[in-house]
Amino acid sequence: MSASPLPTKPNSRHLAYRINAVVMIVAGLLFAAPILLILITAFKPDSEIVKFAGILPHKATLHNFQEILGSPEEIPIFRWFGNSVLISSLVTLLVLTVDSLAAYGLARLNLPGKKWVFGLIVATLMVPGQILLVPVYLILNKLGWLDTPLALIVPAGAGAFGVFLLHQFFLTIPRELEEAAALDGCSKFGIYRHVALPISAPALATLGIFTFVGSWNDFMGPLVFLDSVDKYTLPVGIALFQTSYYAEYGLTLAASVLCTLPVLIAFLLFQRHIIQGIALTGSKE
Amino acid sequence: MTTATSKTRSGAWSGYLFVLPYLLLFTVFLLAPLAYGFSLSFYRRELLSVVPPKLIGLANYSEALHDPYFWKALWATLRFVALCVPFTMLTALSLALGLNGLKGRLQTVLRAAVFVPTVLTISVAGILWRWFYNGEFGLFNAYLHYINIKPPWLTSTGMAMVSIALMTLWWTVGGPTVVLLAGLHNIPPQYMEAAEMDGAVGYRRFRYITLPLLKPVLLFVMVLNIIGSFQVFGQTFMITRGGPEMSTRSLVQYIYETAFNNYRMGYASALSWLLFLVIATFSAAQFRLMRER
């Protein structure tokens, strides 16, 4: 933890410190409470959800989970889960590979005109995604990729964010390291592979987590590019589920728990990486 | 063998092999669609229609300017931005200042608590808040019932967008908060010590030391927040479907429906370039305003 910028280190015995701490704890609880509520309520029978009588269930039940996991014909939740895992993993792999290669070339190699190329890439960071929706849909249609996982995987490799992030990181690698590797007979690719990548592990991890969570949570993409229910990812699957099982809140919440747990666990494991990465790059949207 | 230090012509160009895979994707799925979408906005292009695409000049744009649904969606979007941005910025700043005053471990834990809603996908967050807001058995009204108020969270045209903004505050304020907190961490402690020696504490220190030093980060976060808010879609789509009476149908939802419910690709492209124009205007104005002050 970095040193606090307060002039006097926060002193837990000061009254002001304690008041602030209490206020912040209450705020933290307010933010976390809704997520705990999903977890708790998913164990309630529908009758208790519809007629609210306290936060905790009177009769805790696994019924919602049994129902949702036990009818793969009507609710292909395993399918959606598998699709989500497949798509998010491949997107992450693709982004890490092409972005790190490009960022390395643009940051560390003497490429003619690279300033222009990099400038053009960075400029597209300002383009709102919706502008691409219709033309990308038509291009995917031409390629015959609509309603396949390719529609969600390949275009995701075009985003400029990762190239920008890794480029800035690669710039900080000391020249001497590369020169030493070159004297040892390393090729350009060897230097990228054995010097630049290992040094940049934290930046790669940050980009990897962002990309995975972003892809896992993506809603607009699968909504527009997929048609068949068995091709869906979890977020759109659950949204559809909510429309068809509108009255059954218990089932919907249980499905939400299953969709949320993987990212929640990933977040709790890597929260430092994620939050520092966000603070570093200052972007979420 | 080529080495990193060699500067021969062919060696220089061969380095582009590194950039090639990305440039290929970038060209096909970013640059080309950008150009294609722009040209589409001057065409009548209807999917599932026998009518062939036809160049119609600015007709899509002039249709938009005479389209009451476009103006209604723009108004709903502006209302959302006006409700969301100030509250998000104020809340994020307050939370960042509060967290910054806490000691290591407590700060880390509470920072995570504030941030955790942002990792939820919108369908889950939407389902959750739909249940909170439900008039019959919603969590909020179950408690407000005791003091005999029953706000029409999602059912009144005046209130619905406010409810959406409140949910959005919960869902998204974590991002701006951690960025501002990092900005506070980066203020050199000497400034604070010097200020304290000059007797600047509490509000005065905040106003004359912290705020000016935080300004670049604040501007950055605010611009991102404005841009993000103009693109609101998931929340309204999941929670209200744009209702009641289209009072929460945002521009992005209108674009989505125009393209993928009505298959009017040309018109949808024109609408999305108009949205881009609005966003660009607001961001530019924002930068100018903040620089002058």
Side-chain angles (χ1 to χ4, degrees):
Chain A
M1 201 70 241
S2 62
S4 161
L6 283 183
T8 41
K9 288 217 151 201
N11 184 338
S12 49
R13 286 190 200 98
H14 278 175
L15 184 63
Y17 181 91
R18 289 190 179 183
I19 294 174
N20 181 35
V22 170
V23 172
M24 292 314 294
I25 289 171
V26 171
L29 283 175
L30 279 178
F31 275 93
I35 294 171
L36 296 175
L37 262 176
I38 315 181
L39 298 179
I40 295 169
T41 311
F43 291 94
K44 283 183 181 178
D46 269 340
S47 57
E48 277 187 50
I49 302 176
V50 177
K51 208 168 167 346
F52 186 82
I55 302 281
L56 293 174
H58 292 280
K59 254 203 191 126
T61 168
L62 284 173
H63 169 84
N64 297 324
F65 289 96
Q66 282 162 347
E67 183 114 334
I68 206 165
L69 296 174
S71 41
E73 303 294 307
E74 291 162 73
I75 314 160
I77 196 154
F78 290 111
R79 240 357 240 270
W80 298 339
F81 191 88
N83 294 340
S84 276
V85 170
L86 178 82
I87 289 170
S88 304
S89 309
L90 289 179
V91 166
T92 308
L93 194 69
L94 177 72
V95 165
L96 286 177
T97 312
V98 297
D99 286 12
S100 67
L101 278 167
Y104 183 76
L106 293 169
R108 306 302 305 195
L109 301 180
N110 258 316
L111 306 183
K114 68 175 181 180
K115 275 217 173 90
W116 288 95
V117 175
F118 186 62
L120 182 66
I121 293 172
V122 171
T124 63
L125 279 172
M126 284 184 292
V127 173
Q130 289 78 28
I131 263 192
L132 301 172
L133 207 59
V134 168
V136 167
Y137 178 89
L138 295 173
I139 290 173
L140 290 171
N141 189 24
K142 273 260 161 59
L143 292 169
W145 290 0
L146 284 178
D147 206 22
T148 73
L150 283 176
L152 295 168
I153 297 167
V154 183
F161 173 72
V163 176
F164 175 69
L165 179 80
L166 294 177
H167 177 270
Q168 302 312 92
F169 203 88
F170 286 149
L171 283 181
T172 63
I173 299 175
R175 268 267 167 236
E176 298 81 56
L177 270 180
E178 282 178 322
E179 278 160 11
L183 283 177
D184 288 345
C186 246
S187 64
K188 279 179 201 164
F189 185 78
I191 298 175
Y192 155 81
R193 177 73 191 78
H194 298 294
V195 178
L197 283 191
I199 289 187
S200 314
L204 290 169
T206 302
L207 178 61
I209 296 164
F210 277 12
T211 309
F212 189 90
V213 172
S215 172
W216 184 274
N217 284 345
D218 180 24
F219 184 66
M220 190 82 136
L223 184 71
V224 171
F225 300 145
L226 302 179
D227 255 334
S228 344
V229 170
D230 63 335
K231 301 264 172 61
Y232 277 2
T233 59
L234 273 174
V236 273
I238 283 174
L240 167 91
F241 187 76
Q242 187 217 16
T243 12
S244 15
Y245 291 78
Y246 179 62
E248 296 174 74
Y249 257 82
L251 287 189
T252 316
L253 287 171
S256 302
V257 168
L258 294 174
C259 176
T260 306
L261 273 183
V263 270
L264 204 60
I265 291 167
F267 171 72
L268 293 175
L269 287 178
F270 301 113
Q271 67 115 335
R272 246 172 219 221
H273 261 106
I274 296 176
I275 290 180
Q276 275 163 7
I278 298 224
L280 202 77
T281 55
S283 93
K284 206 263 150 177
E285 276 84 26
Chain B
M1 169 159 287
T2 352
T3 66
T5 44
S6 90
K7 284 184 180 121
T8 56
R9 277 262 122 188
S10 69
W13 283 103
S14 77
Y16 261 106
L17 285 176
F18 279 87
V19 194
L20 199 66
Y22 174 73
L23 277 188
L24 203 68
L25 290 171
F26 179 72
T27 309
V28 177
F29 291 107
L30 225 157
L31 285 187
L34 213 53
Y36 183 29
F38 189 62
S39 81
L40 264 179
S41 73
F42 303 103
Y43 276 85
R44 188 177 61 216
R45 171 85 201 262
E46 272 148 47
L47 230 58
L48 309 180
S49 152
V50 284
V51 192
K54 190 179 164 212
L55 186 68
I56 53 171
L58 289 169
N60 283 326
Y61 289 95
S62 78
E63 179 181 346
L65 299 182
H66 295 101
D67 175 358
Y69 294 122
F70 166 73
W71 290 106
K72 187 147 192 179
L74 179 63
W75 174 239
T77 309
L78 285 171
R79 270 190 77 207
F80 176 78
V81 173
L83 283 166
C84 226
V85 175
F87 283 120
T88 305
M89 293 306 298
L90 275 177
T91 312
L93 186 60
S94 316
L95 288 170
L97 287 168
L99 287 171
N100 194 40
L102 298 176
K103 281 184 173 174
R105 191 147 181 81
L106 189 59
Q107 186 182 104
T108 313
V109 171
L110 292 181
R111 183 182 67 174
V114 170
F115 189 79
V116 72
T118 63
V119 304
L120 292 193
T121 181
I122 184 55
S123 38
V124 170
I127 284 167
L128 182 66
W129 281 74
R130 233 178 116 119
W131 168 50
F132 285 174
Y133 284 142
N134 189 296
E136 300 303 311
F137 54 91
L139 183 77
F140 289 167
N141 284 2
Y143 281 101
L144 291 173
H145 162 82
Y146 293 113
I147 49 173
N148 258 330
I149 38 175
K150 209 176 170 190
W153 296 106
L154 300 175
T155 45
S156 98
T157 51
M159 184 89 184
M161 195 55 106
V162 179
S163 304
I164 296 281
L166 182 68
M167 175 271 167
T168 305
L169 179 74
W170 170 80
W171 187 44
T172 60
V173 81
T177 304
V178 297
V179 177
L180 289 176
L181 184 60
L184 288 172
H185 283 189
N186 286 338
I187 296 178
Q190 301 90 285
Y191 284 102
M192 293 301 175
E193 283 156 21
E196 194 173 33
M197 265 184 254
D198 290 344
V201 286
Y203 176 74
R204 286 173 59 84
R205 190 180 69 197
F206 170 71
R207 174 71 186 78
Y208 295 105
I209 310 289
T210 315
L211 207 54
L213 287 169
L214 203 59
K215 206 172 104 175
V217 187
L218 215 50
L219 170 65
F220 176 70
V221 169
M222 181 135 69
V223 169
L224 277 187
N225 195 243
I226 291 177
I227 294 176
S229 302
F230 267 110
Q231 302 178 44
V232 55
F233 170 72
Q235 298 95 301
T236 53
F237 187 78
M238 281 301 298
I239 298 178
T240 59
R241 298 264 154 190
E245 291 169 37
M246 291 183 198
S247 63
T248 60
R249 182 163 79 169
S250 69
L251 263 182
V252 172
Q253 191 180 335
Y254 188 45
I255 293 169
Y256 167 81
E257 287 172 2
T258 306
F260 303 106
N261 292 352
N262 302 329
Y263 299 104
R264 298 191 57 200
M265 299 312 197
Y267 189 42
S269 293
L271 289 173
S272 64
W273 278 87
L274 284 173
L275 171 66
F276 185 31
L277 195 70
V278 174
I279 293 177
T281 312
F282 268 82
S283 323
Q286 181 70 23
F287 271 112
R288 179 154 296 178
L289 263 174
M290 291 287 277
R291 202 169 296 156
E292 273 168 17
R293 247 190 278 150

